[in-house]
Amino acid sequence: MSALDPVAVFRMEAAECLEAIEAGLLDLTHQLDDKNLVDAVFRGLHTLKGSGAMFGFEALAAFTHHCETAFDRVRKGEVPATAELVAAVLAAQDHMRALVDQPDADHGDTGQKLLAQLQAAVGSHAGAKATVVAPEPAAAKAVPPAAKKKNNWRIRFSLPSNAMANGTNPLGLLDELRDFGECTVRANTAGIPPLSELSPTELYISWEVMLSTEHDRSAIDDVFIFVMDDMELDVVDVAAPAEVVSEVETPAATVVAAAEPVPPPAAVPPFKPVEAVPAKREAAALADGRQAKAQENVRVPAERLDELMDRVGELVIAQSRLSQLASSSADIALRSVSEEIERLSGELRDTMMVLRMVPVATLFSRFRRLVHDLARETGKVIELVTEGESTEVDKTVIERLADPLVHLVRNSIDHGLETPADRLAAGKPEAGTVTLSARQSGGEVIISIKDDGRGINRDRVRAKAESSGLIAPGQQLSDSELLQLIFAPGFSTAATITNLSGRGVGMDVVKKTVEALRGTIDIVSVPGEGSEVSLRIPLTLAIIDGLLVRVGSGRYVIPLSAVEECLELSLEEDLRSRGRSFISLRDSLVPFLRLRDLFRTGTKPDVHQKVVVISTGTERVGLVVDQIIGDHQTVIKSMSKLHHDVATFSGATILGDGSVALILDVGHLVAAGQQQEAQLRVAG
């Protein structure tokens, strides 16, 4: 197995670092006086700059240095943190991403424009601290009241043995220390082994640095911030030499001091080399500690997880075949082995499913930046609320839901939320709220986008649908059917086209993507109070629990998460219900579909048919089948391109005997049942 590309590893870590910086900046927007957030953003920028320089991303390091300098001034109190500064660094962060992804590309003058914006954000508030940043008059420089005190530091540090192999350049750290002031560096070479034992990838040298600088201890710690966890660092404040002290005293003070005995300069403790054997022992201890940390989290490429999931799926199919063979055999030993393999494969399947799960927080976090930018662009005051961020969903579902949620959030902000003036006139708070929530319900996750805006105007939706030919003038529609029209291709009620919406090319993409995930969309809207769009998505797209049924001579799988209950439908009741296709279920009428007629099996119904009641949200429909075979672990296989447009089925699976069973598309069948109910009610 080939080792990971160091540059690829850096890009992954840089992406995480940029996400942390963005999160800190967005938090800082609401708490501009929070020193901890300022420090966190500064550390993130410093880490990105240092690691970028180590891996040869010089343009990234140079650009990030300016943002780091701006936040260093904020951290020191020279300039205040402002919304303009946060916006400037957020914009600069996008350029940093581009420099990470395409370091050799021509980015034009983007960097210069962003730096000018950053300088304007910092410089516009420099006057508040003029005594700090403004140069002193020439006359004042002639006799300064007191020069700034210099600190004298003795710094001893040793890096882990694999530091250079991991991309850490000790010379870069020493250069940063030299930038602070007068610096003397001594290298300890006592730990270098004989040539026969020397490894070119290991680091055996430690360093002692004597530094005279105006900077404090925190500035020295910042130099080593990127490698602090794995290194040994000893920083001691030693007494300043007499000649350094005399330079900062006034002439009068010098005369007084001359009348008294002047003590000799404080002696600097002699440099004591670290013994070679303890150094090796310490390096081994550090290596053990790093190994323990590395075992906590392991980076695995996503495609490897997909390959492993495919193998687990094949194992589940093979185990199903083995169980079928064992059930028809009288061999007790074979049955015992089959049961043991079934248990192990089930545990392996569950473990594999957990590995593929990621929290919805990874999806929700990216919308904080989107809402921040849209608020500045539209002039609206928007608060983003997230709920249920710990809910876990299959990573493939997360990846595919990103774009649909962007469309829905932008639509809520543009069409749903009113301007601050309109909200105040309507008796609402000035700030509009967009709520992203997630919760698990059985084998599904429900992701909702809710706003407290004006709601959907039904009259405008109907007028647009009639003018577009989607419905006939005056056609009777339920409220749910009317609201679902906004997902039609090219549908938009916006009066003007903006860079946010108006072209009608977003919501139909949302519906297609959700349906491709075997999910459904529900809309609830109250005029004047807001709207809520709920996406019901399967937790996983790989292996599901299904209910295996027989219709005629064919076998089909119904996702078990959608099954509410099963009822018996006798032949007499079937004949009596023809023409209305309703069953009474606890004082409510539920429409049902005869799958035998829908699939045109050409067979006679069984004497004792069954009705499987399925649901999506609040809508229910019954499916009439000939036999319920039982629970089945279903490994989902995609349909071929030839059958891609067959809406009744969402996929296929292989049964234990090697035959193929089609997986029913619950959302499509429920919609068909509701449509049939509406037609019968109109006819009645």
Side-chain angles (χ1 to χ4, degrees):
M1 183 182 299
S2 59
L4 291 176
D5 181 8
V7 174
V9 174
F10 163 72
R11 284 196 167 102
M12 288 188 291
E13 294 181 350
E16 295 175 358
C17 187
L18 285 167
E19 289 178 3
I21 293 171
E22 183 176 280
L25 289 169
L26 293 173
D27 289 337
L28 192 61
T29 304
H30 305 287
Q31 306 174 55
L32 292 173
D33 58 347
D34 193 321
K35 187 176 183 302
N36 292 329
L37 290 175
V38 173
D39 290 341
V41 173
F42 172 80
R43 287 194 298 270
L45 292 168
H46 184 81
T47 300
L48 184 64
K49 181 191 77 170
S51 57
M54 291 175 187
F55 285 91
F57 288 74
E58 300 296 339
L60 171 68
F63 181 80
T64 309
H65 173 73
H66 296 284
C67 299
E68 177 199 22
T69 302
F71 263 85
D72 189 36
R73 295 186 64 189
V74 175
R75 191 176 61 151
K76 293 177 179 178
E78 296 179 6
V79 294
T82 62
E84 292 78 8
L85 175 61
V86 172
V89 179
L90 279 173
Q93 186 210 22
D94 294 334
H95 185 57
M96 295 176 198
R97 293 184 189 275
L99 293 175
V100 171
D101 296 335
Q102 299 176 325
D104 299 326
D106 182 10
H107 299 283
D109 58 350
T110 303
Q112 286 77 6
K113 291 180 179 178
L114 292 171
L115 291 180
Q117 181 182 351
L118 179 65
Q119 180 62 33
V122 176
S124 61
H125 296 273
K129 297 288 182 179
T131 56
V132 178
V133 298
E136 297 179 356
K141 289 184 179 180
V143 184
K148 193 171 181 180
K149 180 183 177 182
K150 284 193 175 183
N151 299 312
N152 294 276
W153 303 100
R154 185 191 66 212
I155 306 165
R156 290 178 177 175
F157 70 93
S158 61
L159 299 173
S161 59
N162 63 346
M164 297 188 68
N166 290 337
T168 301
N169 185 358
L171 299 181
L173 303 175
L174 294 172
D175 287 341
E176 287 195 52
L177 292 175
R178 289 190 179 96
D179 291 339
F180 287 165
E182 184 179 350
C183 184
T184 303
V185 180
R186 292 181 60 187
N188 170 27
T189 59
I192 300 179
L195 184 61
S196 59
E197 301 177 12
L198 189 142
S199 172
T201 61
E202 293 192 11
L203 180 63
Y204 303 98
I205 303 175
S206 59
W207 288 268
E208 179 179 277
V209 180
M210 294 302 303
L211 176 63
S212 177
T213 178
E214 297 176 354
H215 292 276
D216 56 11
R217 169 65 187 269
S218 63
I220 297 174
D221 289 339
D222 288 341
V223 172
F224 300 98
I225 192 171
F226 189 62
V227 291
M228 184 74 75
D229 294 338
D230 298 327
M231 70 174 296
E232 287 188 349
L233 177 64
D234 180 31
V235 182
V236 178
D237 185 4
V238 298
E243 60 271 14
V244 177
V245 176
S246 64
E247 289 178 2
V248 300
E249 293 177 341
T250 62
T254 305
V255 173
V256 174
E260 299 178 357
V262 180
V268 179
F271 175 71
K272 183 179 180 180
V274 183
E275 297 180 4
V277 175
K280 291 183 178 179
R281 202 174 289 132
E282 292 170 1
L286 286 172
D288 293 339
R290 288 192 303 273
Q291 185 177 4
K293 289 182 180 179
Q295 290 174 352
E296 295 175 2
N297 294 286
V298 179
R299 294 184 183 273
V300 179
E303 56 268 18
R304 294 186 184 176
L305 286 179
D306 295 336
E307 292 176 3
L308 183 57
M309 189 71 250
D310 291 340
R311 302 298 181 271
V312 172
E314 297 299 329
L315 176 62
V316 170
I317 294 173
Q319 174 268 318
S320 178
R321 297 184 63 183
L322 177 61
S323 298
Q324 186 168 346
L325 292 174
S327 62
S328 60
S329 173
D331 190 340
I332 301 299
L334 177 61
R335 291 188 177 185
S336 176
V337 172
S338 175
E339 291 175 357
E340 183 68 11
I341 292 179
E342 183 176 359
R343 180 184 66 82
L344 293 174
S345 65
E347 293 177 355
L348 180 60
R349 181 199 71 163
D350 294 340
T351 302
M352 188 62 230
M353 299 306 298
V354 172
L355 287 178
R356 290 173 59 93
M357 294 294 184
V358 294
V360 179
T362 60
L363 179 62
F364 284 179
S365 60
R366 68 185 67 182
F367 291 99
R368 298 181 62 199
R369 173 69 184 280
L370 175 66
V371 171
H372 173 272
D373 292 345
L374 291 179
R376 293 178 62 88
E377 185 175 345
T378 61
K380 299 178 180 179
V381 183
I382 308 170
E383 293 182 359
L384 177 66
V385 179
T386 56
E387 300 172 352
E389 294 174 290
S390 60
T391 305
E392 293 188 333
V393 190
D394 189 290
K395 70 173 187 65
T396 306
V397 175
I398 291 289
E399 293 167 358
R400 297 187 186 178
L401 279 181
D403 287 343
L405 285 182
V406 167
H407 285 299
L408 292 174
V409 170
R410 293 170 69 95
N411 196 69
S412 293
I413 292 174
D414 189 39
H415 290 290
L417 296 183
E418 310 95 332
T419 62
D422 292 340
R423 292 183 63 85
L424 292 175
K428 296 182 179 181
E430 181 183 17
T433 302
V434 175
T435 303
L436 286 174
S437 63
R439 61 184 175 89
Q440 185 175 341
S441 176
E444 295 180 325
V445 61
I446 302 174
I447 299 178
S448 300
I449 302 90
K450 183 179 180 180
D451 65 72
D452 62 349
R454 59 173 64 92
I456 298 177
N457 189 319
R458 270 78 168 175
D459 294 336
R460 291 180 62 184
V461 171
R462 173 176 285 278
K464 180 65 176 180
E466 291 179 355
S467 64
S468 302
L470 295 175
I471 59 174
Q475 180 178 341
Q476 294 295 324
L477 295 174
S478 65
D479 189 65
S480 176
E481 291 173 335
L482 182 63
L483 294 178
Q484 287 288 334
L485 290 175
I486 68 174
F487 294 104
F491 188 91
S492 175
T493 58
T496 59
I497 295 177
T498 67
N499 59 343
L500 288 184
S501 61
R503 300 186 185 275
V505 295
M507 301 302 280
D508 63 317
V509 173
V510 172
K511 185 174 183 180
K512 290 178 181 178
T513 304
V514 172
E515 290 179 346
L517 293 171
R518 305 195 314 276
T520 57
I521 304 178
D522 299 325
I523 306 179
V524 177
S525 182
V526 179
E529 296 183 12
S531 306
E532 181 175 7
V533 180
S534 300
L535 312 181
R536 305 178 68 94
I537 308 293
L539 282 174
T540 178
L541 304 178
I543 300 177
I544 62 171
D545 288 325
L547 185 66
L548 188 63
V549 300
R550 179 179 60 83
V551 179
S553 58
R555 287 175 289 182
Y556 304 88
V557 174
I558 304 173
L560 198 58
S561 60
V563 177
E564 284 196 356
E565 57 185 301
C566 300
L567 308 171
E568 185 170 336
L569 182 69
S570 65
L571 182 60
E572 292 78 9
E573 291 177 336
D574 184 27
L575 293 174
R576 189 165 53 249
S577 64
R578 286 192 176 275
R580 63 185 182 93
S581 298
F582 283 94
I583 57 173
S584 178
L585 185 61
R586 287 183 291 278
D587 299 329
S588 64
L589 293 178
V590 178
F592 64 84
L593 300 172
R594 294 175 174 84
L595 296 184
R596 189 185 339 101
D597 297 339
L598 186 63
F599 298 158
R600 300 177 184 177
T601 61
T603 59
K604 294 183 178 181
D606 282 17
V607 177
H608 300 288
Q609 300 178 84
K610 303 295 187 295
V611 179
V612 180
V613 180
I614 61 175
S615 67
T616 57
T618 58
E619 297 180 343
R620 297 184 297 174
V621 70
L623 304 178
V624 179
V625 301
D626 290 324
Q627 180 187 3
I628 297 176
I629 300 176
D631 186 18
H632 182 267
Q633 287 188 4
T634 305
V635 180
I636 302 174
K637 301 291 185 181
S638 301
M639 303 284 282
S640 68
K641 293 183 179 180
L642 183 63
H643 304 90
H644 182 70
D645 295 331
V646 181
T648 309
F649 307 110
S650 60
T653 187
I654 302 175
L655 302 178
D657 59 0
S659 61
V660 175
L662 297 175
I663 303 171
L664 300 182
D665 188 333
V666 172
H668 176 80
L669 292 174
V670 169
Q674 295 297 322
Q675 184 178 6
Q676 173 179 290
E677 177 187 7
Q679 292 174 349
L680 290 174
R681 290 184 185 277
V682 172

